Amino acid sequence: MTAVRSETLQDDAVLSARLRGVAIDAARAVEMPLRTAFRSEMAVDFKKDLRDIVTQHDKAAEEIIVAQLLAAVPNSEVVGEEGGSRGQGAIRWYVDPIDGTANFARGLPNWCVSIGAVIAEQIVAGVILDVMGGNLFSADLNGAYLNNTPMQSNAAAEAKYATLISSYPAERDFRADGRAAALETFGDLVEAFSSVRRNGSAALGLAHVAAGWADGAAGFGINPWDVTAAIFILRQAGGSYHPVAYGEGVATEPAHEHPAYVALGKGADYPKLIARWDAIARARKS
């Protein structure tokens, strides 16, 4: 029985490494087109509101990524931010062709390509390509990597020494929580942490925590394509990801299906941050 289980784990690791390679190839396929498009004249459209931006480059990049994933792994379903679900199979890919589109459209370099692979609700591979920074963050069941070098997260133990990446509060948080309460929370974060940064890309922020370049990250209003790859990369690098559910629900696995999170680098212990995020989420409707 032990031998059978050992073989299964080995098979899982081989498949995971293969899916990581497929995701890297798909991300690399759109690297040069996106680099060329960056800071060029482009048409900008809006989805839910004026803060929810999409460009023709998001859509074009997603089409390339989807085609490449389905060609390499036909037994797949690809869920993209722009095009919804395509294909069918045991492997589900979550794709954000440009996480941080507002930055991309404005000429700020904080954006990335994010691709995560899920089997039976378990994330098994993740790739985040920071095109302008030249950083490839990735993970499989064997570990996490920065530009193919093994990567370990490392964080300040106490919040007062730590850098937190958080987009809270955004305008949608004012609507959900009330302006006064949201600003009070932001003030508490500024006082509790050494610094609070807004980078405009959840995936890239989590990757920075995985790399040890930031100590923690927290956010609301998250979709699976925003964080699937990043959750796995962070956890494989030794960090922790705490999903948060709205209303009275308990945030259980799979973590990528929940709309809020607190992410911590290895060694971080910020219980007040987790408690505050849980309290905000409980007051929201599920």
Side-chain angles (χ1 to χ4, degrees):
M1 184 70 176
T2 302
V4 172
R5 182 56 186 159
S6 177
E7 290 176 3
T8 301
L9 290 172
Q10 186 176 19
D11 291 345
D12 290 346
V14 170
L15 176 58
S16 171
R18 176 174 175 254
L19 295 179
R20 169 178 168 258
V22 168
I24 289 173
D25 289 344
R28 291 293 192 194
V30 298
E31 181 177 15
M32 287 312 298
L34 291 178
R35 181 184 290 272
T36 300
F38 183 58
R39 292 178 179 157
S40 67
E41 291 188 13
M42 66 182 75
V44 174
D45 293 322
F46 304 94
K47 293 186 282 187
K48 295 179 182 178
D49 55 42
L50 295 179
R51 295 170 178 83
D52 195 1
I53 293 173
V54 64
T55 75
Q56 70 267 36
H57 304 297
D58 296 76
K59 298 174 182 178
E62 184 169 301
E63 291 303 315
I64 293 171
I65 292 170
V66 170
Q68 188 139 336
L69 293 176
L70 292 178
V73 190
N75 182 33
S76 292
E77 175 189 8
V78 183
V79 181
E81 179 175 12
E82 309 306 334
S85 176
R86 281 164 283 187
Q88 189 173 10
I91 299 167
R92 176 178 292 174
W93 301 90
Y94 287 101
V95 174
D96 194 339
I98 306 176
D99 188 61
T101 299
N103 287 341
F104 175 83
R106 190 64 184 86
L108 295 170
N110 296 322
W111 52 273
C112 64
V113 180
S114 178
I115 304 172
V118 174
I119 300 176
E121 302 299 343
Q122 298 295 315
I123 312 171
V124 297
V127 168
I128 293 173
L129 178 60
D130 173 9
V131 173
M132 303 313 298
N135 298 306
L136 177 67
F137 307 90
S138 66
D140 55 28
L141 289 174
N142 299 300
Y145 315 91
L146 173 59
N147 297 326
N148 292 320
T149 298
M151 177 176 68
Q152 275 289 320
S153 177
N154 182 42
E158 298 179 64
K160 64 183 178 181
Y161 300 116
T163 294
L164 176 72
I165 297 175
S166 179
S167 61
Y168 190 91
E171 188 272 339
R172 64 174 177 265
D173 299 312
F174 285 172
R175 286 186 274 113
D177 306 329
R179 190 171 187 272
L183 289 176
E184 181 180 357
T185 293
F186 179 69
D188 289 345
L189 294 178
V190 171
E191 290 179 342
F193 286 87
S194 175
S195 61
V196 179
R197 298 287 181 259
R198 304 168 72 95
N199 74 344
S201 168
L204 201 54
L206 289 168
H208 289 175
V209 177
W213 302 343
D215 302 288
F220 287 95
I222 299 302
N223 297 296
W225 48 79
D226 298 318
V227 295
T228 297
I231 291 171
F232 190 64
I233 293 168
L234 174 65
R235 286 177 168 174
Q236 290 299 91
S240 60
Y241 183 92
H242 307 267
V244 179
Y246 289 172
E248 295 299 322
V250 177
T252 57
E253 297 294 329
H256 57 276
E257 293 186 355
H258 293 287
Y261 69 92
V262 173
L264 302 177
K266 185 177 181 180
D269 182 21
Y270 315 145
K272 291 183 179 178
L273 174 62
I274 295 174
R276 174 61 67 93
W277 245 240
D278 283 339
I280 294 170
R282 280 197 304 271
R284 294 189 178 190
K285 295 181 180 179
S286 58

